[in-house]
Every structure is written in structure tokens, then in C-alpha cells.
Amino acid sequence: MIINPPQHQQQPETAQHGVAITRRQFLAGMGALTLAVNFKGQIALAAENAGSDVFMPNAFIQIDKNGFVTIISSYIEMGQGTFTGLATLAAEELHITPEQLQVTGSPADLEKYGNPALAAVGFNVQGTGGSTAMAGAWNVMRTAAASARHMLLQAAALEWKVPFKELVVEDGIVIHKATNKRTGYGAFIDAAAELPVPDARTLTFKKPAEYQRIGKAEGMRRVDVPEKVNGKAVYTQDIKLPDMLVAVIAHPPRKFAKVASVDKAPAMAVPGVVAVLEIPGDNVIQGGVAVLAKNTWVAKKGRDALNIQWDGNTGSHAGTAALFEEYRQLAATPGLEVANTGPQLAEVPEGGYEIDAVFELPYLAHAAMEPMNALIHLQEDSCHMWNGEQWHTADQAAIARETGLPVEKVQITQLYAGGSFGRRAGPGCDFVIEATRIAKVARAQGINVPIKMVWLREEDMGGMQYRPMTVHNNKIMINADGSVASWRWRVVGQSFFPMPATQVDHTLMEGAHGLPYAIKNMLVEQHLVKGDVPVSWLRSVGHTHSAFVGEVLIDEIAAKTGQDPYQFRRKLLADAPEFLNVLDLVAEKSGWNTPLPQGQEGERRARGIAIRQSFNTIVAQVAEVTVRADNTYKVDKVYCAVDCGQVINPVNVATQVEGGIGFAMSFLKQEITLKDGVVTQSNFHNYPVLRINEAPAVEVFTVDSVKPPSGIGEPGVPPAVPAILNAISSITGKVVRRLPLGAKVLA
């Protein structure tokens, strides 16, 4: 359940912090999550909440006098199941049922809700991304819940005058079997609030053999689904404040062009339009002309009625055709060395082979179901924003810079979000800044009311911040025995952060080096391009392009040397047992070594395979594909094996992987193109997403593990496209090197 805005206004103020990080730094914290949380200093709240109607022993657990538990999530729920994962961990250690809890989003408060994946490596940032939520929560949420349980049992032991060790909890009921005393948690919250918070090192946790919720398919239902079905779920569009206005903005058709003149009269003539504001742009937001009205529809009508003359001498003149030509030329020249494990062969080995391969991948939009939006109330000495908040610390700092307010005067209420795929956690905080700037301009003109900025689909699709387009130039020398003699991989693309061309962008380059395969003499190079099209990470980030290139080339090497692609990978992974386990599991479950059933007359069928580690999770997939007589294709089924450490919620893992495969399959049809600075695509009619009738059957299998959980929100994406394309290449004999693929494959 989402806490209503008036209640959130009473949340404690946040301390001032500001951290600039790279995506690599963001992901680096994944491997250091064995830290115990210091409850006595960092998140202990028992003393300050003593005497209230709820027991809040730390920043994450709240229990009322009925024994009902509210879990406070520092991570956004945007459809990925974060709330359910947190509920699973808390319910396990509190010994309660799914019906005895709810989950709500936290405010922006770095001191209490910093992401421990980042804190572990010294970066204090509150936010959701990099598939770190469950990895970050694994210690924190279990410790928070175990601490609360310990204090409540201690209070019960004191009240009943019985030994602490004789107490047990079943479904939120504290039981002393010797005296047959049975009472719910709620009866002890007042006494527990007076007790000291225990040292985390003294707490006991359930052992895996004792789990009733963690790792059990029936352990925890999706906690967000009922509200999303019955309409109680609160998104930005659901918040309506007194006197609130809605802003719809006209962005420049040519990106970053300036307004030459605007005739506001036609818009002001639309009933319900309150104001027309010119919003200055800069190198972060495009700016344009915003129409403020009583509701979204009226604001849109007013925006559409505007007569704007744009300055033709300003703005971007980028065109993707010219950009690809520039990229191809750069890719043909040596770049900045990223990794080098040995010399490159100048000539083909005797009896061997050579592969020269150039891959081209386009800009991609995030295209989340809920376009970007934010509700903001800017006042003289404070600012409050409501939205599907993913990047709390950065957004809070961006609002503070834009308004000139101290960070502690900027309050953010986290709501549900209808998807993101990285868009709501962009490096530049662009849509948050735009909403703030609209409010600032409005306030300067005497409009001192809450303003909800709403992007329609067209603004969202054309709003920049795309996954970078890339060109990959590869030269591979192969020995006569089928082994790789040398491999040079050169990547051309834009950086996610402003950085000199002499610096490696590890975010762009992730997955292009450090491969698990036993390949000697590998050289990886980078060319950074200073483009004027803003880019941002998309779900799975660098792996969205590097997995495609790398896994398609592995199959091409196998095909050129007459080797089975599964067995060839096994040979290259002989010294990587964790990868072999996943690879063998997917091969077994997919029946790799058995013939596929024949299709209808004229149809050709094949399997394709791919494996990739991303966000500390290993995923292997086998795709069954049919190419019809007319060369259209259909993905019939995808088998997926996953090693993501300890599985917290199997249903979440399966749905995230299924969704990741569907998300990746859209790449086969999607591209963002620009012509003279104008984005060609505007909505789903020319930027298609996977339709339900195109979705394949998916089976997901997990490797049993007691390692701490790793990421799952993103790792299902990277292997899907190469597995599908490898199946298609097996059928057609033609290697696909450019996306989008289109409706038909090469014969």
C-alpha cells in the first residue's frame, strides 16, 4: 500500500549528501554485500518512536498494535517484484504470513535508505538499479526483521517472566508452550519500543533448511498485484492535490532547437488553459513551451493549438545514416586499448580461418508503459516531488541545484512506476529537472500551485536519453584445429558520462572483455564519439550489444570449424564450472541433443544457444525458432537456466526472466532513427514492442545455490537475441550482423 502524500509530508528530513557515480561504480558494490548493518547507529529508530502507536525498531520495519507489519522499501516497485522480494525476506525472519504485511515506498533519505551495494564500496547513494535490490536487501532486510523479532520476543519474555529461549513465533503469534501463553506481536510493541536495539552480530537467522518463504514458489504472493488489479495502486497520475495544474510541453521537433517566437493566444483560448510558459533549455533538457491547464486533456489541446516558430539555426542536425558511416570509419582504425591478453595474428594460420565482422546496433528507446512524469510543489523555502522515484539521491540533488534550495529542503515521495528499464534513473535526471524548471518558471509568474508534468507517448519516445548506437568491428583468426588464435574486438559508441576519449567507459564496454571463454590473445578497443544525442543506460546496459556480438561470433566460429555450438562452448568453458553447470542445465532441459519436431510444409526449424554473465548472474538460453516458407520467422520456445545465487522468490525470478526475454525480442524490430535532428519514431506504430501473440513459451530453471543472491532484473535480457539469431543462422546459413532484423530473414 502506498502512503498518501499528506502522511509522507511528516517524514523526517534528509541529511545533505551528493555523490556523482559511474554505472561501473554502481555495479561494483554487488560483490561486497556480506557487511552487517550497524543498527545501533545507521538505522536504529526504536528510541525516537517510543510511545507511538507503532513499533519501528529500524527504518525498514513498522508493526502496529494489531500485529500488522509495514515494510518500508528503499527500492522502487516498477513491476520487477522488488516489494515482493523484500516481503519474502521480512516474512521469513518475522515468522508471519503474507496477509499480515504490506510494503510501502520510502522517502528520499540517504542516511537511512542508502543502497548497501554502493555503500559497501564507499558510495552513499539511494536508488534502484543494476539489479542490486535483492542483493542489497539480503542482509539488511533479514537483519531488520530479525532485530524486530528479537525485541518483541524479549518484551514477551519480560512480561510473561519466562526464558527468552523458550519462546517461538508462528504466523505472528508469540507462543510459550510450557504455560500455553499465546499472544500476537501487537501486544508487545510498547514494551519492545523501550528496549535497546540488539547488536546485529548477536542475532540468529533461519537456516536454509528452515525456510518457509525464501526459495518457495508458494512462499509469498506478489504483494503489488491486488492493488494493481483493484485500482488502489497509486501512480503519479493518481495524485491530485488542491489547485493542482497539469503541464504538457511542446519540445522542439529538431532536438535542442530554441524557440524563435510563440503565439500563445490560440492556446489561451482553449477553456481550462491557465498559462503558457516558455521553458529555457540547456545541455540537459530541451526546453520548449509548456501549457498549464486543469487536466491533461485540456493541457494537450492547448499545447496542440500553439503557434511556435523554431529557430532553424539552433538544435541538432544529427542523422543516423551519417552517424553510422562515421562509426564504421572509426571502427576501421585502432582505438583506445581496453583489454589485451596477447598479440594479434597478422595472417591466417595455416589451414585455419579468418572472420571479419562488422556489427551495427541502433539507438533504442526505453518505451516504458508509463511515460515520464512528475508532480512537484515548489514553495519559497521547500520543494516536494511525487513520482515513480528510482534515483532518489541524484534527483534530490538535481532539484536542489535547479531551485537553489538546500538538499534537506527537497522531499521526494516514492510511488509505483509503470516500468522504467533504466529511464527513471538516467545520469542527467532530465525529466525531473524539466518538471522542476516548469514549476520554477510558473512560480516566477505568480503561479504558486502544485504542477504535474505529463509527457505523452510522443514526448517520451522523442525525449532522447537512448541506448547508444554502436558499431563493432571484429577480426578473428582461427587455428586449423578450430581453436581461436586471436580476436580483436573494437567498439564505437557514445559514453554515458562526459569523459575524454582517452578514458575507458567501462559501462559502454561491459561484456566485451573479461569473457569466461578460454580464448587467448584477445584485444578489445574503444572509440568514444561525442554525439549530440543524449544517451542513457537501458536495461542490461552494455550487455545489450556486447552479448549479441560476442555470442553470435562464438556460433560463427563453431559453424566455420564444423563444431556443435553447445559443445564448442563447453570446450571453451572447461575451466569455468559455474558456467558449465548453467550451460549443461539449459542443454539438458531443452533436449539439445535430440532432433526438433518437424514443422509444417515449407517450414525449417532449429535451436540456438547463448550464455552470458551479467550483474553477477549467469544465464544460458536455448531458443527454438521456425522460419516459414515466406522467410518470416517465429520464436516458438525459449528455455532458460539461471544461477542467481540464493533464490528469494522463484516466481519473481521466472517472471523477470520471461519479461527480459520479451523485452529483448522487441530489439529484433526496434530502432530510433534521426533525420536532420528529428526523431523519426513517435509511438508504438513505428517503434513496435513484442505483442502477446508473438511471445514464445518460456521455461525457467534455476541452479540450487546458497550463495547470496545476485541480480535478476536485467540478466535475462542479454542472451535472448543471440540465441534467437543463432537459431536463424543455423537455418539460413546467413549470419545476422545488424538490428533491427525486420519481419523476414535472409533466405
Side-chain angles (χ1 to χ4, degrees), residues 14-15 63 130 161 165 193 222 253 263 317 352 383 386 462 467 474 486 523 530 532 536 595 725-726:
T14 58
I63 304 173
K161 296 181 174 56
K165 292 184 179 180
R222 278 289 295 246
D263 181 2
H317 290 267
C383 187
W386 296 259
R467 193 282 305 265
N474 287 261
S486 67
L523 171 65
K530 280 189 176 181
D532 56 2
S536 177
L725 295 181
N726 287 340

Side-chain angles (χ1 to χ4, degrees), residues 157 162-168:
V162 298
F164 176 90
K165 292 184 179 180
E166 293 181 6
L167 296 175
V168 295

Side-chain angles (χ1 to χ4, degrees), residues 12-262:
E13 293 182 343
T14 58
Q16 183 170 352
H17 295 271
V19 178
I21 63 167
T22 67
R23 175 82 175 197
R24 181 171 177 80
Q25 292 164 342
F26 184 79
L27 299 176
M30 290 287 288
L33 298 180
T34 57
L35 297 180
V37 178
N38 180 2
F39 281 76
K40 287 188 175 180
Q42 183 180 346
I43 56 176
L45 297 177
E48 67 185 70
N49 284 281
S52 69
D53 290 334
V54 296
F55 170 53
M56 197 169 183
N58 51 68
F60 303 98
I61 302 291
Q62 180 177 295
I63 304 173
D64 68 19
K65 292 191 175 181
N66 294 317
F68 192 75
V69 178
T70 297
I71 299 158
I72 294 93
S73 172
S74 57
Y75 307 102
I76 187 176
E77 175 58 74
M78 48 192 168
Q80 83 279 39
T82 297
F83 279 14
T84 303
L86 297 175
T88 304
L89 297 177
E92 189 72 82
E93 289 300 336
L94 283 168
H95 301 201
I96 59 176
T97 68
E99 294 72 29
Q100 293 172 302
L101 61 81
Q102 65 180 3
V103 184
T104 184
S106 74
D109 189 330
L110 178 58
E111 186 175 354
K112 294 188 177 84
Y113 299 112
N115 187 320
L118 301 176
V121 291
F123 295 97
N124 289 325
V125 177
Q126 181 184 356
T128 309
S131 296
T132 59
M134 291 304 100
W138 175 247
N139 283 327
V140 172
M141 187 54 69
R142 290 187 306 137
T143 304
S147 177
R149 171 173 48 82
H150 180 97
M151 295 172 73
L152 289 162
L153 289 179
Q154 191 177 15
L158 291 171
E159 182 173 323
W160 289 347
K161 296 181 174 56
V162 298
F164 176 90
K165 292 184 179 180
E166 293 181 6
L167 296 175
V168 295
V169 184
E170 295 178 4
D171 296 343
I173 304 298
V174 182
I175 302 170
H176 184 246
K177 293 183 178 179
T179 60
N180 201 30
K181 293 181 181 292
R182 304 169 60 89
T183 305
Y185 275 147
F188 305 109
I189 67 169
D190 288 339
E194 301 293 337
L195 298 174
V197 177
D199 189 321
R201 293 170 295 183
T202 67
L203 297 172
T204 58
F205 300 91
K206 278 189 176 181
K207 296 179 174 59
E210 301 172 318
Y211 289 159
Q212 295 177 300
R213 310 285 175 201
I214 296 174
K216 311 294 183 184
E218 68 283 0
M220 181 63 63
R221 57 175 170 77
R222 278 289 295 246
V223 299
D224 55 324
V225 166
E227 290 189 340
K228 290 177 177 177
V229 171
N230 64 29
K232 291 183 179 179
V234 179
Y235 295 82
T236 308
Q237 289 294 81
D238 297 309
I239 300 287
K240 294 178 175 59
L241 300 181
D243 302 319
M244 183 188 80
L245 295 175
V246 174
V248 172
I249 189 167
H251 288 136
R254 175 177 290 124
K255 301 311 164 187
F256 294 99
K258 305 300 181 185
V259 175
S261 66
V262 56

Side-chain angles (χ1 to χ4, degrees), residues 77 186 212 268 284 298 491 577:
E77 175 58 74
Q212 295 177 300
M268 293 300 297
V284 177
V298 173
V491 182

Side-chain angles (χ1 to χ4, degrees), residues 451-722:
I451 294 175
K452 182 189 294 182
M453 182 199 73
V454 175
W455 283 8
L456 306 179
R457 177 59 58 193
E458 288 75 14
E459 283 76 62
D460 194 80
M461 193 73 71
M464 314 303 271
Q465 302 297 331
Y466 302 125
R467 193 282 305 265
M469 59 176 282
T470 54
V471 167
H472 300 244
N473 186 310
N474 287 261
K475 181 183 286 292
I476 303 173
M477 298 294 187
I478 306 169
N479 293 314
D481 63 0
S483 62
V484 177
S486 67
W487 184 341
R488 191 261 298 138
W489 187 343
R490 191 175 292 149
V491 182
V492 181
Q494 285 177 251
S495 173
F496 295 99
F497 299 93
M499 64 174 59
T502 55
Q503 184 175 335
V504 174
D505 184 346
H506 290 282
T507 308
L508 178 70
M509 299 299 296
E510 64 183 351
H513 60 97
L515 299 176
Y517 298 123
I519 296 175
K520 298 179 180 178
N521 303 332
M522 190 157 190
L523 171 65
V524 179
E525 297 176 335
Q526 164 200 282
H527 281 290
L528 289 185
V529 178
K530 280 189 176 181
D532 56 2
V533 178
V535 296
S536 177
W537 37 61
L538 180 80
R539 185 181 187 185
S540 298
V541 204
H543 297 283
T544 63
H545 55 84
S546 64
F548 163 46
V549 175
E551 287 299 292
V552 165
L553 284 170
I554 289 291
D555 250 55
E556 187 171 356
I557 297 167
K560 190 170 281 289
T561 56
Q563 301 181 74
D564 176 85
Y566 161 52
Q567 294 298 337
F568 181 51
R569 284 175 172 81
R570 288 202 92 257
K571 187 187 304 182
L572 293 175
L573 295 171
D575 296 326
E578 290 184 332
F579 285 83
L580 273 181
N581 288 341
V582 178
L583 186 69
D584 288 344
L585 179 60
V586 80
E588 173 198 343
K589 296 299 184 181
S590 66
W592 180 268
N593 294 318
T594 62
L596 268 174
Q598 289 187 346
Q600 298 179 12
E601 184 177 354
E603 291 183 343
R604 296 165 290 167
R605 305 192 70 221
R607 296 184 181 99
I609 193 168
I611 187 169
R612 170 58 54 132
Q613 183 182 41
S614 59
F615 309 96
N616 283 359
T617 291
I618 304 171
V619 177
Q621 293 176 9
V622 169
E624 295 180 357
V625 178
T626 297
V627 175
R628 304 182 184 97
D630 63 356
N631 288 328
T632 61
Y633 64 94
K634 183 178 187 299
V635 182
D636 302 306
K637 190 167 186 177
V638 178
Y639 296 86
C640 187
V642 179
D643 183 353
C644 58
Q646 171 67 59
V647 173
I648 294 175
N649 190 289
V651 175
N652 265 11
V653 171
T655 54
Q656 279 299 283
V657 172
E658 290 168 8
I661 291 168
F663 186 76
M665 285 179 63
S666 294
F667 297 169
L668 297 171
K669 304 187 292 182
Q670 293 173 334
E671 63 178 337
I672 290 290
T673 57
L674 293 96
K675 185 175 181 180
D676 194 25
V678 178
V679 175
T680 305
Q681 293 71 26
S682 60
N683 211 313
F684 291 126
H685 70 287
N686 55 10
Y687 191 80
V689 297
L690 186 75
R691 300 293 181 128
I692 191 68
N693 65 319
E694 301 169 318
V698 177
E699 288 192 50
V700 180
F701 306 91
T702 55
V703 174
D704 289 336
S705 176
V706 294
K707 296 183 301 181
S710 52
I712 198 59
E714 298 174 269
V717 176
V721 166

